[in-house]
C-alpha cells in the first residue's frame, strides 16, 4: 500500500472556487502550498486580479494567502498530493440529484491522480456517494486501486454565504476517511486551519449522512412554521406576533416563515430522499416539508393578488415591483432562489413585474433567470410592492421611501417582516 505524503509537506489542490472552495483555498494557503483550480477562465482571471464576485473573500484576504495560486489547467494539478473537491451538487428539473459536476471533477482528477494521493470531497451528497460513485470513477480513469494506491476523505462544507460572523475557521468541521489512518490524516489536515475544532466521524457514510440531515432538519423546521403561517392566515392572526409570544418560552426554536431556497436547505433533502427510495423506504415527512416550502412562492403571489382584488386594483396589466432576488439577504447568491416562483406566478396573471436587487449583477440575473434587473425603480409607479429579501439597503431606506415607489393606494407585502405590521398591508 502506498503511503500519502507527510501532511506538513503536502501540496493541496482545491477543485472548484465558488462560495465553498475559495474560502477553503485561502485558509489552506496560509499553511500549505495550495492550488485553487476552476474550469472557468474568467473566474481565475478575476481571482488573480484580487477580486471575488461572490464577496466571500476580500482583496486583502486573497493577498495574505501567500502560498495560494490559481489555475484553470489540469497540468497545474499534477504536483498535488491532496485534492479537495468543492463542486456544486444541485438537483435537476425532476428534483433528482445531479451528480454531473461531481463526475466531471472525478474524471479530471483521475487523469492526474498518482499513488499516495488523497481525494477529499466537501460537496453535499447522499450516504455512499463518495465510496460507491466517486471512488470507482477515480479508479477507472487513473487505473489505480482505492485504499491501495490512493485514498478518499470526506469533510462536508458548512459555509453560510454572506455570513461574516461564522467563517470557515470558526465552524466545527466533520471529517472522515476511507481507512482509519487516512481518516486521522484528513482530521489533522483540517485541524491546521479550523480554530473551532474538528469532529472525526467513524466512516465516510456517517459524515455524508450528518451533512445531509443538517439542512433537512432546518428545512422541516421552516416547513412547520410556514404551515402555521398558512393556518394563521386563515384565522386572521398575525404569525409573527404568535411566534414572538411563543418565543418567550426558553426552548421554543426561533424559526420564521419564508421562502426556502439556496444551495443547501432547498436541495439537500432531495439527496436524502433519493437514497431512501433506492433502499425501499418512502420518506413522507421530508417530502411533505419540501412540497410545502416549495409552494410558498405561489402562496405569496396569491396573497398579493387577493389584496389587490380587495383594493379594486386590476391584476391584469398591473405594475408590480419585487424587491430582492437572491435566496437570502446581504449576499449576491442567486442559486435556487424561490423569489422566481413569485415572479412567475404573478406573470401568469399577466402582471408586469419589475425586479430590483442592489446585490446582484445584471448579467447574473439574466443568465440565471432571464430577468432584466431594474437599477432605479421609478417613484409613484407601482400597484403593488413585494419586499422579498431583507437586504440592509431596503431596511435602511425605511418604509416611507420604499412605499414612495407605489401609486396612491398601492399594496405593500413584506415577506420577511422587516417593518412593523401597521406599516405594511400584509406579511407572512
Amino acid at each position: 500500500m502506498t503511503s500519502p505524503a507527510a501532511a506538513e509537506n503536502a501540496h493541496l489542490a482545491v477543485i472548484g472556487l465558488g462560495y465553498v472552495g475559495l474560502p477553503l483555498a485561502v485558509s489552506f494557503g496560509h499553511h500549505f502550498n495550495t492550488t485553487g483550480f476552476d474550469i472557468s477562465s474568467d473566474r481565475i482571471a478575476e481571482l488573480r486580479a484580487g477580486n471575488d464576485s461572490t464577496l466571500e473573500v476580500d482583496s486583502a484576504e486573497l493577498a495574505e494567502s501567500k502560498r495560494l495560486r490559481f489555475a484553470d489547467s489540469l497540468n497545474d494539478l499534477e504536483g498535488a498530493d491532496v485534492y479537495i473537491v468543492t463542486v456544486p451538487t444541485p438537483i435537476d428539473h425532476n428534483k433528482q440529484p445531479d451528480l454531473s459536476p461531481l463526475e466531471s471533477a472525478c474524471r479530471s482528477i483521475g487523469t492526474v491522480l498518482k499513488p499516495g494521493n488523497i481525494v477529499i470531497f466537501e460537496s453535499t451528497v447522499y450516504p455512499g456517494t463518495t465510496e460507491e460513485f466517486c471512488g470507482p470513477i477515480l479508479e477507472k480513469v487513473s487505473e489505480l486501486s482505492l485504499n491501495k494506491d490512493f485514498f478518499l476523505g470526506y469533510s462536508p462544507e458548512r459555509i453560510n454565504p454572506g455570513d461574516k460572523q461564522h467563517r470557515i475557521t470558526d465552524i466545527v468541521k466533520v471529517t472522515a476517511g476511507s481507512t482509519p489512518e487516512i481518516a486521522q490524516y484528513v482530521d489533522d489536515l483540517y485541524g491546521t486551519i479550523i480554530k473551532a475544532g474538528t469532529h472525526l466521524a467513524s466512516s465516510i457514510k456517517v459524515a455524508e449522512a450528518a451533512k445531509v440531515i443538517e439542512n433537512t432538519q432546518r428545512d422541516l423546521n421552516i416547513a412547520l412554521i410556514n404551515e402555521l403561517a398558512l393556518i394563521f392566515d386563515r384565522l386572521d392572526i398575525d404569525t409573527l406576533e404568535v411566534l414572538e409570544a411563543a418565543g418567550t418560552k426558553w426552548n421554543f426554536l426561533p424559526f420564521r416563515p419564508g421562502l426556502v431556497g439556496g444551495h443547501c436547505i432547498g436541495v439537500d433533502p432531495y439527496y436524502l430522499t433519493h437514497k431512501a427510495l433506492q433502499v425501499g423506504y418512502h420518506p413522507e415527512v421530508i417530502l411533505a416539508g419540501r412540497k410545502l416550502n416549495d409552494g410558498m412562492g405561489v402562496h405569496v403571489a396569491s396573497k398579493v393578488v387577493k389584496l389587490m382584488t380587495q383594493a379594486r386594483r386590476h391584476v391584469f396589466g398591473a405594475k408590480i415591483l419585487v424587491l430582492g432576488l437572491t435566496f437570502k439577504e446581504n449576499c449576491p447568491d442567486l442559486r435556487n432562489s424561490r423569489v422566481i416562483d413569485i415572479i412567475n406566478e404573478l406573470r401568469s396573471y399577466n402582471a408586469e413585474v419589475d425586479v430590483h436587487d442592489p446585490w446582484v449583477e445584471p448579467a447574473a440575473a439574466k443568465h440565471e433567470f432571464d430577468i432584466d434587473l431594474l437599477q432605479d425603480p421609478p417613484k409613484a409607479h407601482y400597484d403593488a410592492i413585494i419586499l422579498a429579501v431583507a437586504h440592509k439597503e431596503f431596511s435602511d431606506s425605511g418604509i416611507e421611501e420604499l412605499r414612495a415607489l407605489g401609486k396612491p393606494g398601492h399594496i405593500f407585502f413584506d415577506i420577511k417582516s422587516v417593518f412593523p405590521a401597521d406599516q405594511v398591508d400584509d406579511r407572512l
Side-chain angles (χ1 to χ4, degrees):
M1 184 176 75
T2 307
S3 298
E8 61 270 17
N9 299 321
H11 179 179
L12 311 186
V14 177
I15 313 301
L17 298 176
Y19 286 86
V20 175
L22 181 61
L24 185 70
V26 168
S27 295
F28 274 126
H30 290 295
H31 304 274
F32 303 93
N33 291 330
T34 304
T35 300
F37 175 85
D38 200 282
I39 59 174
S40 170
S41 298
D42 290 340
R43 177 65 167 160
I44 295 302
E46 76 167 40
L47 293 174
R48 284 174 174 167
N51 301 314
D52 171 30
S53 57
T54 70
L55 305 181
E56 289 300 304
V57 177
D58 61 33
S59 298
E61 290 174 301
L62 285 172
E64 290 168 1
S65 191
K66 300 296 186 182
R67 301 173 70 178
L68 171 63
R69 65 189 182 106
F70 298 110
D72 55 8
S73 170
L74 286 175
N75 294 331
D76 293 323
L77 299 180
E78 291 187 356
D81 302 300
V82 179
Y83 296 90
I84 305 177
V85 181
T86 64
V87 298
T89 43
I91 53 175
D92 61 22
H93 293 299
N94 296 316
K95 297 180 179 176
Q96 294 297 305
D98 177 7
L99 298 179
S100 57
L102 202 58
E103 179 179 358
S104 179
C106 288
R107 292 190 181 280
S108 295
I109 293 170
T111 64
V112 294
L113 199 66
K114 64 180 186 294
N117 284 175
I118 301 173
V119 186
I120 303 171
F121 294 87
E122 289 217 357
S123 308
T124 302
V125 293
Y126 52 78
T129 305
T130 301
E131 293 162 296
E132 298 166 11
F133 178 82
C134 299
I137 295 174
L138 291 166
E139 284 186 312
K140 182 177 180 179
V141 176
S142 69
E143 298 183 347
L144 300 174
S145 296
L146 175 60
N147 291 334
K148 179 181 178 183
D149 301 316
F150 75 96
F151 308 91
L152 296 175
Y154 187 74
S155 183
E157 59 91 2
R158 281 176 167 170
I159 292 291
N160 187 25
D163 188 343
K164 302 304 181 183
Q165 301 301 316
H166 301 94
R167 309 302 296 273
I168 184 171
T169 58
D170 304 318
I171 304 171
V172 174
K173 204 81 161 68
V174 175
T175 63
S178 56
T179 71
E181 294 76 20
I182 295 303
Q184 190 61 58
Y185 185 104
V186 173
D187 193 70
D188 291 342
L189 188 71
Y190 279 96
T192 306
I193 65 169
I194 305 298
K195 294 184 295 185
T198 60
H199 177 90
L200 180 56
S202 63
S203 69
I204 288 178
K205 283 187 177 181
V206 167
E208 291 169 324
K211 170 58 182 177
V212 81
I213 72 165
E214 288 175 13
N215 290 313
T216 299
Q217 181 188 67
R218 185 167 174 81
D219 190 41
L220 286 172
N221 278 321
I222 298 172
L224 170 61
I225 302 302
N226 276 336
E227 186 161 62
L228 293 176
L230 298 178
I231 294 171
F232 295 145
D233 177 52
R234 286 158 174 77
L235 295 174
D236 196 25
I237 301 174
D238 187 276
T239 302
L240 186 58
E241 288 188 24
V242 175
L243 295 176
E244 288 173 344
T248 58
K249 188 180 180 184
W250 73 91
N251 60 353
F252 187 84
L253 300 178
F255 287 93
R256 292 289 185 266
L259 307 177
V260 182
H263 66 298
C264 289
I265 301 178
V267 172
D268 294 357
Y270 289 119
Y271 274 76
L272 183 57
T273 57
H274 171 82
K275 188 63 176 181
L277 290 169
Q278 281 188 336
V279 295
Y281 180 80
H282 182 79
E284 297 182 12
V285 174
I286 297 173
L287 287 175
R290 279 280 73 240
K291 181 180 179 181
L292 198 150
N293 283 341
D294 278 349
M296 289 305 290
V298 172
H299 169 70
V300 169
S302 298
K303 285 280 292 177
V304 172
V305 168
K306 182 178 179 180
L307 288 168
M308 292 179 67
T309 302
Q310 291 172 339
R312 298 184 178 181
R313 287 188 170 273
H314 295 294
V315 179
F316 186 96
K319 300 183 187 303
I320 300 177
L321 176 64
V322 174
L323 296 172
L325 183 59
T326 59
F327 90 89
K328 64 176 294 187
E329 65 276 3
N330 304 327
C331 81
D333 196 345
L334 291 172
R335 291 175 296 174
N336 195 38
S337 172
R338 299 325 322 157
V339 178
I340 191 65
D341 297 338
I342 301 173
I343 296 167
N344 289 338
E345 183 69 9
L346 291 171
R347 285 176 173 170
S348 74
Y349 286 90
N350 290 307
E352 298 178 15
V353 184
D354 287 339
V355 184
H356 171 63
D357 193 316
W359 282 82
V360 177
E361 289 293 330
K366 187 68 175 178
H367 176 267
E368 191 74 17
F369 297 121
D370 193 26
I371 286 178
D372 295 310
L373 286 181
L374 189 65
Q375 297 303 306
D376 296 302
K379 291 186 176 181
H381 185 73
Y382 296 99
D383 299 290
I385 301 170
I386 302 173
L387 180 53
V389 186
H391 289 317
K392 61 183 180 181
E393 287 83 354
F394 300 146
S395 56
D396 289 348
S397 293
I399 189 63
E400 290 185 5
E401 184 172 331
L402 294 181
R403 298 208 73 150
L405 301 172
K407 299 175 182 177
H410 68 274
I411 298 300
F412 193 102
F413 193 95
D414 184 2
I415 292 178
K416 301 297 291 184
S417 295
V418 173
F419 300 108
D422 61 356
Q423 295 182 359
V424 301
D425 293 291
D426 205 352
R427 58 186 188 178
L428 281 182

